[in-house]
Amino acid sequence: MKKDVRVAPSILASDFSRLGEEVQAVSKAGADFIHIDVMDGHFVPNITVGPSVIKAIRSHSDLPFDVHLMISPVDPYVEAFAEAGSDMLTAHPEAGPHLHRTIQLIKKHESRAGVSLNPSTPAEAIGPVLGDVDLILVMSVNPGFGGQMFLHSSLAKIAAVRKMIDAGDRDIDLAVDGGITTETAPLVAEAGADMLVAGTAVFQGGPEKYQENIKALRESAR
Ligand code: DX5
Ligand code: ZN
């Protein structure tokens, strides 16, 4: 069942020199999750943060940390990311040969487990693990950078994933990540997404705008 739309600001678009304050500000401004993009310069053409940064910002928010792992391999780092304070760990099926094993490992470390689908990965890729995942994160840009254009081809995939989720009886969040604005949020919500990951659209204008930006996204998706 689709839930009310929740907003997960991606701190990739925040001011990294003041990361703790940014996480606090966006938490106070009405965010539902903190989305943290982990990139390794190998699985994606960019490098961001590791477990020590997650640990450092953990005390700055009570919100769940939704950690998006764009790294390959994933398995050797699951424990460190879980122990740093992640509540949800999301991996890409292309990042390793054994997606099911990765999901089991994430759960063993008491984190919720997510799977993310690249724009070129079909919805069907999650079929075999639907009974195990807590979150499906549909990428609406190619992962690696914030501020990219929304890919409209993701809409059909969101609708297909929504059908798969609703055909079962498990509580699975359906998130969309990349190019989410007040123009694209209604489209993804209509297609069946119930969680919006947004970097640029939340952090634009600085801290005094966060509350307004989050509210605008939430309302546009209603
Ligand atoms: C892209 C990341 C996204 C990104 C979204 O690889 O997974 O979370 O930060 O940024 P915007 O909202 O600016 O497209
Ligand atoms: Zn992300």
Side-chain angles (χ1 to χ4, degrees):
M1 270 286 287
K2 184 169 176 288
K3 305 177 194 95
D4 283 346
V5 167
R6 286 134 322 139
V7 179
S10 161
I11 60 166
L12 189 59
S14 72
D15 177 352
F16 270 32
S17 71
R18 308 167 36 250
L19 203 46
E21 291 157 57
E22 290 279 71
V23 168
Q24 270 178 36
V26 93
S27 302
K28 276 207 197 106
D32 298 292
F33 299 88
I34 301 295
H35 183 86
I36 303 166
D37 288 305
V38 177
M39 305 186 187
D40 66 353
H42 167 72
F43 183 66
V44 289
N46 195 5
I47 301 178
T48 56
V49 301
S52 57
V53 172
I54 293 174
K55 195 172 172 194
I57 58 176
R58 185 58 278 189
S59 62
H60 292 260
S61 175
D62 293 330
L63 294 179
F65 277 9
D66 163 34
V67 177
H68 181 188
L69 299 173
M70 288 162 275
I71 63 173
S72 172
V74 181
D75 296 3
Y77 304 100
V78 164
E79 183 174 4
F81 279 105
E83 285 186 354
S86 310
D87 298 281
M88 179 104 80
L89 286 170
T90 297
H92 283 253
E94 305 83 359
H98 307 294
L99 180 61
H100 185 265
R101 175 176 288 150
T102 302
I103 293 167
Q104 297 310 116
L105 186 61
I106 290 171
K107 292 188 152 175
K108 185 179 146 206
H109 290 287
E110 283 161 27
S111 168
R112 300 183 77 218
V115 172
S116 179
L117 301 173
N118 277 336
S120 63
T121 306
E124 291 69 34
I126 45 129
V129 293
L130 259 189
D132 305 285
V133 292
D134 303 301
L135 166 88
I136 296 162
L137 178 68
V138 174
M139 293 306 299
S140 39
V141 299
N142 283 295
F145 302 94
Q148 302 183 78
M149 287 285 288
F150 178 82
L151 297 171
H152 285 260
S153 57
S154 64
L155 293 173
K157 196 189 296 178
I158 295 163
V161 173
R162 168 51 59 201
K163 265 198 181 156
M164 293 166 80
I165 293 173
D166 287 350
D169 57 0
R170 297 197 57 251
D171 175 19
I172 302 175
D173 293 323
L174 174 45
V176 186
D177 187 2
I180 297 299
T181 63
T182 50
E183 275 82 56
T184 57
L187 308 178
V188 302
E190 173 74 30
D194 53 18
M195 184 168 159
L196 308 173
V197 176
T200 310
V202 168
F203 286 93
Q204 63 192 356
E208 30 331 311
K209 289 277 182 191
Y210 297 165
Q211 190 169 357
E212 190 181 320
N213 292 345
I214 291 170
K215 193 166 167 236
L217 279 176
R218 210 188 293 282
E219 283 182 358
S220 71
R222 211 158 255 159

